[in-house]
């Protein structure tokens, strides 16, 4: 599991990703939707909510996606926001992907 409070929470990116993980632990994991009626979230939904609901053009989200892409080894084009989102959404929505893996 990637999430661990021992990881660096002093950087804005580490703090944002840890907040997203906390939201996923609290509300549960979802696939194919940012946030469902029960409050379950996908990775992107948790990341956006952890960032106060802001994401369009926000560099904090892009840096978090780049870091996630590197850690997961997805090899998405780091310079393309759309490609980063797409790769991480596909990872989150994989049939065998568990909520624990996403957290």
């Amino acid at each position: 599991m990637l999430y661990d409070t021992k990881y660096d929470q002093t950087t804005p990116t580490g703090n944002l990703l840890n907040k997203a993980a906390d939201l996923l632990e609290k509300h549960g994991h979802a696939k194919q939707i940012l946030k469902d009626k029960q409050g379950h979230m996908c990775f992107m939904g948790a990341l956006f909510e952890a960032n106060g609901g802001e994401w369009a053009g926000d560099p904090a989200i892009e840096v978090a996606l780049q870091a996630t892409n590197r850690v997961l080894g997805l090899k998405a084009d780091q310079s393309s926001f759309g490609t980063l989102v797409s790769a991480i959404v596909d990872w989150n929505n994989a049939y065998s992907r568990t909520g624990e893996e996403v957290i």
Side-chain angles (χ1 to χ4, degrees), residues 2-73:
L2 295 175
Y3 173 68
D4 191 325
T5 54
K6 72 180 179 190
Y7 293 138
D8 188 2
Q9 296 180 45
T10 61
T11 68
T13 301
N15 190 38
L16 180 60
L17 289 168
N18 277 301
K19 283 182 185 178
D22 287 343
L23 288 168
L24 286 166
E25 281 189 328
K26 181 178 179 182
H27 299 289
H29 177 244
K31 295 181 183 182
Q32 309 293 333
I33 191 167
L34 290 174
K35 186 175 184 178
D36 67 17
K37 291 178 184 178
Q38 292 78 33
H40 307 117
M41 295 175 233
C42 70
F43 175 83
M44 295 300 296
L47 186 61
F48 297 158
E49 190 160 314
N51 198 45
E54 298 295 324
W55 66 276
D58 189 323
I61 293 292
E62 188 161 350
V63 171
L65 293 177
Q66 290 169 344
T68 301
N69 177 54
R70 281 191 307 273
V71 169
L72 296 176

Side-chain angles (χ1 to χ4, degrees), residues 13 64 67 79 84:
T13 301
S79 66
L84 285 169

